[in-house]
């Protein structure tokens, strides 16, 4: 299964994504440059973390207009699985492929440490290998991770079971101190209406090997692999 | 063609938490300034634009704001358009 990892100028988690895909097996990751116009027959797309275009203007605002994003938009609209991690999530919001926006962390501090997130739904191509309400320990590293959307959009996300991950305490509770950035409804990750586009601030690709301190992110890749195998069968 | 100076003021939408504004408010209080109300931090983007008329310049700048310069989910914008002083665009 071929998976495109998109590199924007300023991406810095593209190799992490590539490494995770390669190490976990079952994927053939390939880089696509922001200036490319075609994805060239891939089965899934990752928009990695980093600081595309230096985060100028707003995080993700300029990456959205990269030539490759036209192809990513078409791929997403045709139902192809797209994962945006950290800066990738910000790009997906700016591109209108996901609702809402990511504001500066409430604390104004760049937060870089392991947090806990709870798997809220298994009805996505990215979470079927987890258990519902499973708590994962996964790193975050961001300054603009404060998810914001108006009340109508938040109600829609809640009502349609589109909140995929929420920040929780290690025990799995929605305590205020478990929310590292002030995100509305403790949102750490969401999917679009057709559930094939995922955006999340935490970094599952940095939690896939014991040497990294956690393997809790591996389930996301296992879910995607199972999804693609089903789709390709 | 004339040249116009465009000033775009982008501000966080009302009611939206502005942690930068809050931090500045706190600092102003710490400095001992009484009576400081709400502080909101936005940004100003200046650009020049060649267009046939002020109306056209405004229309194009407005589109730029909607497409790129502001994020309608979180920000409001205001435009100021005026003819550049003494500078006729060439060509």
């Amino acid at each position: 299964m071929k998976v495109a990892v998109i590199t924007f100028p300023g991406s810095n988690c593209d190799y992490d994504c590539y490494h995770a895909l390669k190490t976990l097996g079952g994927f053939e990751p390939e880089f696509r440059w922001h200036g490319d116009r075609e994805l060239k027959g891939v089965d899934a797309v990752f928009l990695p973390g980093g600081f595309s275009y230096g985060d100028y203007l707003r995080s993700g605002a300029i990456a959205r207009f990269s030539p490759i994003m036209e192809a990513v938009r078409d791929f997403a609209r045709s139902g192809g699985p797209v994962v945006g991690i950290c800066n990738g999530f910000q790009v997906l919001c700016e591109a209108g492929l996901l609702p809402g926006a990511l504001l500066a962390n409430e604390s104004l501090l760049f937060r870089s440490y392991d947090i806990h997130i709870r798997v809220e739904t298994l009805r996505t191509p990215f979470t079927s290998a987890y258990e519902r309400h499973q708590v994962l320990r996964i790193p975050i590293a961001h300054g603009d991770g404060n998810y914001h959307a108006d009340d109508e959009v938040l109600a829609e996300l809640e009502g349609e079971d589109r909140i995929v991950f929420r920040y929780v305490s290690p025990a799995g509770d929605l305590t205020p101190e478990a929310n590292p950035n002030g995100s509305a409804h403790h949102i750490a990750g969401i999917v679009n209406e057709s559930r094939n586009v995922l955006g999340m601030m935490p970094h599952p690709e940095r939690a896939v090997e014991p040497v990294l301190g956690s393997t809790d992110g591996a389930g996301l890749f296992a879910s995607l692999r199972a999804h693609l195998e089903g789709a390709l069968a | 063609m004339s040249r116009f100076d465009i000033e775009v003021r982008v501000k966080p939408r009302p009611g939206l938490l502005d942690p930068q504004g809050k931090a500045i408010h706190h600092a102003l209080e710490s400095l001992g300034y009484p009576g400081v109300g709400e502080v909101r931090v936005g940004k100003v983007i200046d650009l020049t634009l060649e267009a046939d008329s002020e109306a056209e310049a405004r229309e194009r700048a407005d589109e730029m704001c909607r497409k790129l310069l502001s994020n309608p989910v979180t920000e409001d914008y205001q435009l100021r358009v005026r003819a550049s002083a003494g500078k006729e665009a060439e060509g």
Side-chain angles (χ1 to χ4, degrees), chain A residues 9 51-63 87 94 144, chain B residues 43 45 68-69:
Chain A
F51 301 85
S52 57
Y53 299 89
D55 273 355
Y56 294 159
L57 195 61
R58 296 178 306 278
S59 306
I62 298 181
N87 189 221
E94 283 283 345
D144 296 336
Chain B
K43 57 190 133 194
I45 302 164
L68 175 67
L69 302 179

Side-chain angles (χ1 to χ4, degrees), chain B residues 26-42:
Chain B
H26 187 70
L28 289 172
E29 276 185 334
S30 304
L31 282 171
Y33 290 106
V36 178
E38 200 184 16
V39 181
R40 311 284 284 171
V41 180

Side-chain angles (χ1 to χ4, degrees), chain A residues 53-75:
Chain A
Y53 299 89
D55 273 355
Y56 294 159
L57 195 61
R58 296 178 306 278
S59 306
I62 298 181
R64 162 202 171 185
F65 294 100
S66 292
I68 194 69
M69 283 306 292
E70 205 51 56
V72 172
R73 198 172 281 124
D74 290 345
F75 182 77

Side-chain angles (χ1 to χ4, degrees), chain B:
Chain B
M1 286 288 238
S2 309
R3 182 171 295 168
F4 295 90
D5 293 330
I6 314 276
E7 188 190 78
V8 181
R9 300 163 72 94
V10 182
K11 280 197 305 190
R13 296 189 68 174
L16 195 84
L17 180 81
D18 175 15
Q20 232 187 127
K22 254 172 96 175
I24 292 170
H25 182 267
H26 187 70
L28 289 172
E29 276 185 334
S30 304
L31 282 171
Y33 290 106
V36 178
E38 200 184 16
V39 181
R40 311 284 284 171
V41 180
K43 57 190 133 194
V44 176
I45 302 164
D46 286 329
L47 58 110
T48 62
L49 191 59
E50 281 169 25
D52 285 329
S53 66
E54 188 176 322
E56 189 198 316
R58 180 174 292 278
E59 193 180 316
R60 273 164 55 196
D62 197 64
E63 188 183 317
M64 290 174 193
C65 288
R66 283 180 276 118
K67 277 197 178 162
L68 175 67
L69 302 179
S70 79
N71 181 338
V73 178
T74 57
E75 295 168 330
D76 288 332
Y77 63 87
Q78 282 177 327
L79 273 178
R80 274 187 206 171
V81 181
R82 61 185 177 84
S84 299
K87 280 183 261 170
E88 283 294 306
E90 284 175 27

